[in-house]
Every structure is written in C-alpha cells, then in structure tokens.
Amino acid sequence: MRPPGPLAITQHTLVSALGQGRDATFDAMQAGRTGLAPRGFETADIGAWLGVVDGIDTLDWRADLAAFDCRNNRLAELALRADGFGDAVRRAAQRWGAHRVGVFLGTSTAGILQTELAYRRRDATTGALPADLHYGETHNTYSVSRYVRAALGLGGPAHVVSTACSSSAKVYATAERMIRLGLVDAAVVGGVDSLCLTTLYGFKALELTATEICRPWDAQRAGLSLGEAAALALVERGSPAPMGWLLGAGESSDGHHMSSPHPEGAGAALAMRAALAQAGLQPQQVDYLNLHGTGTPGNDAAEDRAVGAVFGPSLPCSSTKGFTGHTLGAAGGVEASIALLALQHGLAPAGLNLQTQDPALHAHILREPLRKTLSVVASNSFGFGGSNACLVFGAAR
Amino acid sequence: MSPAAQRPFAAPRNDAGSDSVWREVHARACAPYRATSTFDWYFARGKLGHDPVFRSLLESGDLRGARVVDIGCGRGLLASLLQSCSDMHRTGRWPAAWHEAPAVSAYTGIDLMQRDLRSAERALGSLALAPRFVCGDMRSTALPACELVVLLDVLHYVDHAAQLGVLAQVRSALQPQGRLLLRVGDSSQRRAFGFSHWVDTAVTLLRRRSAPPRSGRSIAEWTALLHGLGFGVRSVPMSAGTPFANVLLVADLR
Amino acid sequence: MNSLSVDILGIGLLGPGLADWASAAPLLREPALWQAGATVVPPPQRLPATERRRAGAVVKASIVVADQAIAAAGLDPAALATVFTSSTGEPANCHALCEALATPERLVSPTRFTNSVHNAAGGYWHIAVQGRMPSTSLSAFDASFAAGLLEAAVQAVATGAPVLLVACDVPYPEPLHGKRPVSDVFGVALVLTPGTQLTLALQPETTATPCGHAGLDAVRSSIPAARALPLLQALAAGRAASIDIEGLPGLGLQLKIA
C-alpha cells in the first residue's frame, strides 16, 4: 500500500444560480447575495425557492455531440467554458496523453428530464418513446462523464458516482487513489446535477423542501431549497502551480435509514475523522468548515452533533446552500470549489438566512464573512441512503 | 528525583503536555520541507501527523544509537525528526518527563526512489546532522557500521529469500548491542481483521497452484527469524489509525 | 504503472440458468450443460420481511449475490467497504415516476422516489448489515462491470483492506426497454483483497474475450453486468487465463489470472 499524499488541484470552476465561473461565485460569497429565488421550473411550481442557472437554453451546441443535448450536459458544457477549464484539461491531456486523464463525476438524476419530457410524447398506438430521445447520452446515469470525456477527447478510465449528495465529493477520493496507484496522471472530478421534475416532485413528496428560502441552523428552519449546478476540478500529479491541495478525504456509511440521517451523526463523524487522519491534521488545525447544512430539521441536528463531537464548538462553520441551493449530486463539487475560493481569497462565507440559531444547535455559524488567512478548509457532504464524505483542502501557498 | 527517574520504564502519559511537545517536534520536523516544495511540506505534515510510529518512538525512547541507517527512508522524514529532537534538547526544550532525546551522530538513508531522495537532499542538506542519502536497492546496497537500523514497511516489497538476505546484512552492520526497529504487517492478523474463517470449497478461488510466494509472515515467524539471527525481540502494536495489523518489532542484538 | 493485483476471496452469481456460484461453476466449466432460462431472484433473507417485499429487482438481486460472496469468503459483512456498480439502476421506479409525471396530477410516491436513487442497493445493504464502512455506487453504461472492478481493486490495494464488489443490472419495462434492451436480471459479486491472483491492466481497446458458447455469449452481450462471464468461466475452471473485458471507447481492461 502506498500511503496517501497531497493532491494538487490545477484548476477548478463552477456554474450555479450565483453565476458562471469563480469570480461570479466569489463576488456573491463576499456580498452575501443569494442565487435562490421563489420560482417555478419548466412546468412545475412546487411553491419553493429554487437555484436555477440561466443561459442554458441559448447555448450553441456541437453538431457531432447532438445526441448528448440535454439540460444536464448543457450545464456541464457551461462549466467547461468557464475559467478556461476545458482548455486546462486539454493541456493536461497533451502533457500526459489522453488515455492518462480520467473522468469521475457525480450526479443524482443526470439527464432524466429528457425522458420525463419524452413520456409526454409517446406514440399514441404503441406507447413507444420518440426517436429523438437518446437514452445512453442523456438519461443514463453515466451520461455526464460520457459527455465530458467525448467533448474533451479524453481516453482514460471514467465513471459516474451516484450516491446522492456525497457523489461529487467521493470522486475526489477516487481520483486521488487512481493517481496514487499510477493508473492515471490527472483527472476531471466534480459533479453536475440539473433540475428536473423527478427531483422537484420527489423532494416535495418527501416533505423535505421548504416553502420559503432555506435557513440552515435556524430555529425555524423547515427544509431545503433545491438548486442545480456544475462544478469541475482538474486534479493532477506534480502540478507546477496548483490553485489548492486536497489533503485528505474521508468516507463512511450511516447504515441507518434510506432518507433520514443517523440522529447522532455517527457516520458523519467517522468521515470527518477519517479525512483529518488522512491529512495528518488535528481538528484544531482546520480554519473553516463548509457544512452540508441542507436546512432540514434532521440533517442540521445530526450534523451539529457530529461536528461538535469532532471539532468542538468554536470552529467557524457555515452552510452555503443558502447561496446556491442544495445541488444534490453536484453539491460536493460546488462546495469543494467554495472551499478552494475561501482558501485563495482568505474569506469564509457567512451562513445566509440565519435569523435565530436553534438553541439546541451549538456549532459556531458565521453571521458575517470571516476575513483572514485560511490554511485548511474542510467540506462535508452527506447523502441519501447514508453515504458520507468529508474533504480537507490546503492553501496553494 | 525527576519524574523520569521516578518511573523509568513508563512512557509519558498521553496528555495535553505531551501533545504540545509532540506538536512542536512535528512542526520543526516539517519546517525544512516548506522551503522546497508545497507538496513535500504537505506530505511531511500528513505522514508525520498520521503515522503513529514516529510519536510512539519518541515517547518510548526506543530510538537509541549513535549511528543510524534508515532503509526505505523516502524523503528523509526520520532524519528531520532526529534533528528536531536534537535541537529541542540542545535549547532546553526537551521535557524532563520524557525519555532522553535520541542522540544521533550520523544518519544514512537508503531508498530506491531517486525523486524522493532529491527532495530529501534539497530540504535537509544543510541540517547539522549532515544526513547522507544513498540511492540503492536494499538487497544489494552495502550498509555502514551502525548502532541502529530502521526498517519501516519495506520488507514486504521483496520475497522471503530476499528478506532473509537483508536481515542478515543488517545483522552484520550492527555493532554489539545494536538495535533493529522493524515494522511489518502481521499476515496472520490480516486474516483476523474482519475475517472470521477461511472457507476452502472446491469452487472458490483459494487454490494457489502457481501463484508467486507471498511475502507476508506472521509475527511469530518474524520473531523466530530474528531470534535465529541473534536478536532478542519485543513487539509493540502499531495499528492505531490504520486498517492494518501493524506491529513494531524492537530487536536488540544479544 | 497501469496495473494492480488482487486476490478473490469469494464469489456470488445470479443470472439466466445460473442460480448461484456453487451450482453455476460446473456449468460455466462445461457450457454444454448450461440451460438458458429466466433468472429466478430468490427473496434475500438478509432484508427484513417488509423490505424484502418492497425492494425492487436490482436491490434484491444485489443483496443475494453479495450474501453468497460474503459467505464464501467467511467475512464479517459490516467490516467491508463496498462498490456497487450498475448500468440500469432500478428502472421500474424510473418508469413509474416518469409515467406519474406525465399525468396532470403528477403524484409521486415518496417511497418510490427514495428507492429510485442509484445507490439504493448499497444503501439497503449497509442498513441490513449495520455497516459503516465506505460505500460507492457507480455507473459506466456498458462498461459498468469493468469500471466497478477497477474501482474495487483500486480501493483494496490503496487501503490494504478487503472490498465487496457487486455488479447488477435488470431489464427495463416498456417503453424504456425499446430504448435500452437488457434481456434479464444478472448479478455478480466478488470479495477482493490485495494479492497476486488477478492482475488488472488498462490497455488500448481490443475485442472483448467471448464466452465461446452461443448461449452464454448472448447473455454476455445483452446484459452489461454479464460482461463478467468470461472472467467467471476462467475462475470456475481454475486455470491461468488472460481475458479482455469491455471498457470504455478507446480503453480496455485486461485481466490475467495467475
């Protein structure tokens, strides 16, 4: 076994309701400006605030990738175009060889919206789906990695991780192991999840969505606000000028329940401790923790206990889902990018929409952005079905 | 009487005072890598922070011997650690409650990985300890005369016969009352880890007709091997924080 | 380096004419004895009775093969990290949700939504065994078996600890079946640990090794998880072998059994 080591992050970007690219995201972080709005999506209005990405429908699309055309892959394409990310990956492919660059992305619903729409256009006699539905390139869980791999001309190992909200954090750990073992030299990691009817009506049926904007850690918190996003990062062996470092990744399962977290957050604590251990760090060496913080009564209570058990009560924390919404399969990647921006700029974002902190919750939630040099930032991502991940990032120096 | 004299064989308690000493040693040992590359600094910080063997060796006082040979030295973390201990002792910062700081006069590190040794030389070349780094295969590299040999997690890379060869060479290089610190996985415990029993049925895949010989041994096997070479052996569990059944063997030449 | 090596401690299997590994191994050695027939998914004893009834085909089949592999390896299931891989997930839920969403009422069942997540099988397994070790659920379309095997082997070698791999695919109901034909339920589970018996290597794409039997090849090519069949044949025969498994466009996975 080769022991884990730090992994360089050469480039990263994100597209969300806050806008396209790192600068747009950081501006919002600084200003405390949310991307959530009370609105519907497509033909659905579930009476909630949503984080919707603009500019998806007007995107030009490559003719040779026509079969891939769907909202989810368009969102991925926006991210490839942001901050020169796609070009950075092409350069890595030239440096290492296309077959030495992997693609490991997270998603929950991929391009299922295409199928949802297609079910409205079934053949009247046979019930068949229309010919223009390209299942493998859009709906299928693997489609977003397949798209990125094809669009960038990559030829290394690839897959999609779909473990609900921990998906695009877990892929960082996958890439670190593959690079460490010498199977690839670089990888595109992150995640893409777009709004669709399954998500909107599904979460509504579970009564997990709030009717007003989400309020993580608030005494009156009533549920999550859904969002969509694409967050991508290029991790690479021996990168000369990285933007930041992955120091440790911790993963665990709750083994408890399919849609409620373990009340004591035991699995979550395991993941945080494992990440710290891999990084060789003590809890007090972490400067800021980006919480999973969905704003549901259950998650925040369980996470608060876990964070308290691992870090104690004084670690500066916040959930940024009040900015972007809960972007599900992209959440891990979005919040990894936010962690890297915090390290780069020396600014930990505030927890938005917090009026009165729940007295039963003891984490130190930032009410204003924290401006100071940050050396180590951690990020939590805990998913449905009990899959937990924690990532620990170090500054570029 | 000093606390150390009152309980001469007890390791320091794992308390806040002990923690802060370790943190200082750790920070000093990582510092030289900060100047050479961020990767090396993060790597050193992670490895020294995560692997329980380094702190354990300092707290137990088992790092004893004037001339040290470190086989599989990597980036030279042990050399940097030894220098930090020496600096803290010289400036009066080594706690009286701890065992004596290691007093090393010469360090030779041997590794196969040229790149790791370059990192070691860049970071540690100007240490007062003047560590010497040699690029070579442990099966064939000559070992200088020494009082302490450190072999952490390297013997499993070679087969049984080569392991014997390396240990015989170590035996020859060690001066009277010399010590070998050998960390290995306990292959019999690896079975025990999460394993309740083997089920060897005709249709499962446990036939190993032509597979190459395994390189793992049980602790009993390692101990017998070392006894045969003239060592007295004491074992220290070293699995904390790892999924392995690791054991540190402290082997002293009789 | 682009290769790594593992040992296989236990195997589970469920497919057309293949009831479990113990009875299937002789059939894989002598394919003339194998008879095609619909896969029969027994109720997994590990799930509590209510879940056993409610769980969909992919969850049931996954747990059945996982249990076989764990029993063969003689391991504590809670001690193993897991890798679940599937091309299809649970398509019956997906179909039901899309049908409901195409109606004016759009009534979505919360349970069906929860069970539609790709990691449902993994979630249920860890709940059933009370296991807190890490779990992943992944997909790579037709290359899902190769991707899962690679990920599980990487985890085993990187952590030094055993890993349970479960690959399972199930047919789609119409009208999705027309877009993505999968002929039957197929599940395979392997318990991997660092070792020397099986070496995996990435290589440029080549033709996948066939089963060498028309019926088994039909299974192999019509169910993504059944891309594992040539490997299972070699394991059943207990012979050294080199097998090419379908990977992604431009990339193949070569398996060498010592």
Side-chain angles (χ1 to χ4, degrees):
Chain A
M1 185 202 88
R2 210 156 308 166
L7 178 62
I9 297 157
T10 299
Q11 178 70 269
H12 73 100
T13 191
L14 66 169
V15 172
S16 73
L18 297 178
Q20 297 179 27
R22 298 192 302 265
D23 288 348
T25 308
F26 183 68
D27 283 347
M29 280 162 68
Q30 254 189 330
R33 182 178 62 245
T34 184
L36 296 170
R39 54 173 294 177
F41 170 77
E42 216 263 334
T43 56
D45 195 334
I46 59 166
W49 288 55
L50 299 176
V52 181
V53 174
D54 294 316
I56 290 188
D57 298 321
T58 51
L59 204 59
D60 56 288
W61 200 253
R62 270 167 62 175
D64 60 323
L65 299 172
F68 288 96
D69 195 355
C70 65
R71 187 176 186 84
N72 209 58
N73 291 336
R74 281 172 171 257
L75 196 36
E77 177 63 24
L78 281 179
L80 290 180
R81 296 186 193 188
D83 294 316
F85 184 81
D87 290 335
V89 181
R90 288 187 188 93
R91 284 195 298 274
Q94 272 167 353
R95 196 178 311 135
W96 299 106
H99 65 294
R100 297 289 302 176
V101 182
V103 179
F104 310 107
L105 298 176
T107 195
S108 68
T109 46
I112 197 180
L113 175 62
Q114 290 307 101
T115 301
E116 292 166 2
L117 300 173
Y119 263 65
R120 299 183 200 161
R121 298 185 292 123
R122 292 169 70 175
D123 182 283
T125 328
T126 63
L129 292 164
D132 59 11
L133 173 65
H134 301 283
Y135 169 82
E137 291 87 343
T138 60
H139 172 168
N140 183 266
T141 306
Y142 173 62
S143 59
V144 69
S145 284
R146 184 172 174 177
Y147 173 69
V148 167
R149 197 169 183 268
L152 297 178
L154 300 173
H159 61 247
V160 158
V161 170
S162 191
T163 55
C165 324
S166 59
S167 304
S168 50
K170 290 173 74 70
V171 289
Y172 275 85
T174 289
E176 187 279 319
R177 288 186 291 258
M178 293 247 184
I179 290 173
R180 184 189 345 154
L181 262 49
L183 292 160
V184 297
D185 300 304
V188 177
V189 296
V192 185
D193 239 340
S194 46
L195 291 173
C196 62
L197 304 180
T198 302
T199 294
L200 291 171
Y201 288 100
F203 275 92
K204 180 158 192 223
L206 283 168
E207 296 180 353
L208 288 174
T209 43
T211 48
E212 51 160 24
I213 198 169
C214 65
R215 305 186 173 287
W217 260 251
D218 193 281
Q220 306 297 320
R221 68 189 184 278
L224 53 90
S225 299
L226 292 164
E228 58 186 359
L232 300 176
L234 173 65
V235 294
E236 191 171 10
R237 185 196 303 284
S239 175
M243 304 191 77
W245 297 82
L246 176 71
L247 301 179
E251 300 170 271
S252 74
S253 301
D254 273 356
H256 176 71
H257 189 276
M258 282 306 287
S259 52
S260 334
H262 186 283
E264 298 294 314
L270 260 183
M272 289 187 267
R273 289 201 169 98
L276 289 171
Q278 196 180 85
L281 291 172
Q282 298 301 312
Q284 54 265 42
Q285 290 174 283
V286 175
D287 296 315
Y288 161 68
L289 171 64
N290 183 289
L291 299 161
H292 182 55
T294 58
T296 64
N299 173 82
D300 295 359
E303 186 173 9
D304 190 85
R305 287 197 124 98
V307 170
V310 175
F311 292 100
S314 49
L315 169 66
C317 308
S318 65
S319 164
T320 48
K321 290 187 166 67
F323 283 93
T324 56
H326 188 356
T327 55
L328 304 180
V334 164
E335 289 155 31
S337 277
I338 288 175
L340 290 166
L341 287 170
L343 286 165
Q344 179 192 347
H345 293 281
L347 183 136
L352 292 187
N353 318 321
L354 182 59
Q355 287 164 355
T356 313
Q357 182 158 337
D358 186 333
L361 307 184
H362 306 295
H364 169 48
I365 307 295
L366 294 169
R367 313 296 290 250
E368 296 294 327
L370 172 65
R371 279 164 223 276
K372 69 179 255 213
T373 305
L374 304 171
S375 300
V376 179
V377 169
S379 177
N380 285 342
S381 299
F382 307 139
F384 253 34
S387 169
N388 306 308
C390 176
L391 301 178
V392 175
F393 294 100
R397 328 209 113 259
Chain B
M1 218 184 335
S2 74
Q6 281 169 341
R7 12 181 213 102
F9 298 112
R13 289 187 314 280
N14 202 6
D15 56 25
S18 190
D19 283 352
S20 72
V21 173
W22 169 248
R23 274 202 294 275
E24 184 174 343
V25 173
H26 178 269
R28 285 171 178 263
C30 297
Y33 298 94
R34 209 162 166 159
T36 58
S37 97
T38 310
F39 181 93
D40 286 345
W41 183 64
Y42 277 137
F43 182 88
R45 197 171 69 155
K47 186 88 167 89
L48 284 174
H50 174 51
D51 191 331
V53 77
F54 299 102
R55 179 171 177 171
S56 173
L57 284 172
L58 294 191
E59 289 185 335
S60 64
D62 280 334
L63 274 172
R64 69 150 174 72
R67 293 169 295 179
V68 178
V69 173
D70 183 7
I71 304 177
C73 66
R75 288 172 174 78
L77 291 182
L78 182 63
S80 190
L81 189 75
L82 290 167
Q83 182 70 60
S84 304
C85 294
S86 169
D87 292 343
M88 283 175 70
H89 175 73
R90 205 185 58 248
T91 56
R93 297 189 62 75
W94 191 261
W98 279 37
H99 292 282
E100 273 188 45
V104 172
S105 60
Y107 171 99
T108 304
I110 302 170
D111 205 285
L112 209 44
M113 301 297 286
Q114 184 75 271
R115 197 179 50 210
D116 289 353
L117 293 176
R118 272 203 295 272
S119 291
E121 267 154 1
R122 266 205 315 272
L124 310 179
S126 55
L127 293 186
L129 183 57
R132 190 169 73 100
F133 295 105
V134 174
C135 186
D137 189 321
M138 64 181 165
R139 291 172 288 194
S140 53
T141 305
L143 305 180
C146 54
E147 285 74 35
L148 175 66
V149 173
V150 179
L151 256 174
L152 301 180
D153 314 323
V154 283
L155 284 188
H156 65 265
Y157 285 118
V158 299
D159 63 37
H160 280 196
Q163 290 171 356
L164 281 170
V166 171
L167 289 174
Q169 278 206 80
V170 167
R171 165 73 182 84
S172 304
L174 279 174
Q175 297 306 289
Q177 273 100 58
R179 166 172 289 180
L180 164 64
L181 293 172
L182 174 65
R183 183 165 69 177
V184 290
D186 180 356
S187 74
S188 66
Q189 264 206 66
R190 274 172 66 106
R191 252 166 240 188
F193 162 70
F195 291 40
S196 48
H197 62 277
W198 290 107
V199 173
D200 197 354
T201 73
V203 296
T204 62
L205 203 44
L206 298 177
R207 305 177 217 167
R208 302 182 201 291
R209 293 154 294 100
S210 58
R214 310 289 299 277
S215 49
R217 298 178 198 260
S218 69
I219 289 308
E221 286 166 341
W222 285 115
T223 306
L225 200 58
L226 292 168
H227 280 153
L229 287 165
F231 290 96
V233 181
R234 159 168 67 88
S235 74
V236 183
M238 201 53 66
S239 301
T242 77
F244 306 100
N246 280 331
V247 177
L248 179 71
L249 298 173
V250 182
D252 290 333
L253 267 186
R254 287 190 278 244
Chain C
M1 176 185 78
N2 63 348
S3 73
L4 65 169
S5 298
V6 293
D7 284 352
I8 299 177
L9 301 179
I11 304 174
L13 177 61
L14 181 68
L18 305 162
D20 57 48
W21 176 247
S23 61
L27 306 177
L28 294 176
R29 277 197 293 273
E30 298 284 336
L33 301 173
W34 172 77
Q35 281 178 331
T39 307
V40 177
V41 184
Q45 292 310 305
R46 189 176 286 283
L47 288 182
T50 38
E51 305 303 334
R52 225 179 291 154
R53 269 198 317 275
R54 288 207 293 221
V58 83
V59 170
K60 286 206 282 236
S62 297
I63 292 182
V64 163
V65 296
D67 265 329
Q68 285 178 37
I70 287 284
L75 304 189
D76 173 9
L80 265 66
T82 61
V83 173
F84 286 80
T85 183
S86 175
S87 172
T88 64
E90 188 68 82
N93 283 332
C94 175
H95 166 72
L97 288 167
C98 286
E99 269 204 322
L101 292 168
T103 67
E105 300 78 31
R106 298 182 173 177
L107 286 173
V108 162
S109 148
T111 316
R112 211 179 257 294
F113 176 64
T114 308
N115 290 348
S116 73
V117 293
H118 190 75
N119 61 315
Y124 276 108
W125 170 262
H126 279 262
I127 293 168
V129 306
Q130 299 277 282
R132 294 208 177 135
M133 295 294 285
S135 179
T136 193
S137 296
L138 58 93
S139 182
F141 202 57
D142 287 342
S144 292
F145 176 71
L149 180 59
L150 183 64
E151 172 70 17
V154 165
Q155 285 196 25
V157 173
T159 63
V163 175
L164 168 65
L165 167 70
V166 180
C168 187
D169 287 316
V170 303
Y172 291 73
E174 289 290 9
L176 287 166
H177 179 80
K179 288 288 180 182
R180 177 64 170 163
V182 172
S183 64
D184 208 334
V185 174
F186 191 97
V188 55
L190 301 173
V191 175
L192 304 181
T193 194
T196 52
Q197 290 166 317
L198 178 69
T199 299
L200 290 73
L202 295 171
Q203 59 177 13
E205 184 177 13
T206 54
T207 321
T209 306
C211 297
H213 178 273
L216 286 178
D217 271 313
V219 174
R220 176 179 69 90
S221 54
S222 66
I223 313 173
R227 304 296 196 269
L229 272 171
L231 168 64
L232 296 171
Q233 286 175 286
L235 292 174
R239 57 177 159 83
S242 179
I243 299 146
D244 292 316
I245 297 267
E246 172 171 352
L248 295 168
L251 190 72
L253 186 66
Q254 185 187 68
L255 305 178
K256 279 196 156 74
I257 300 179

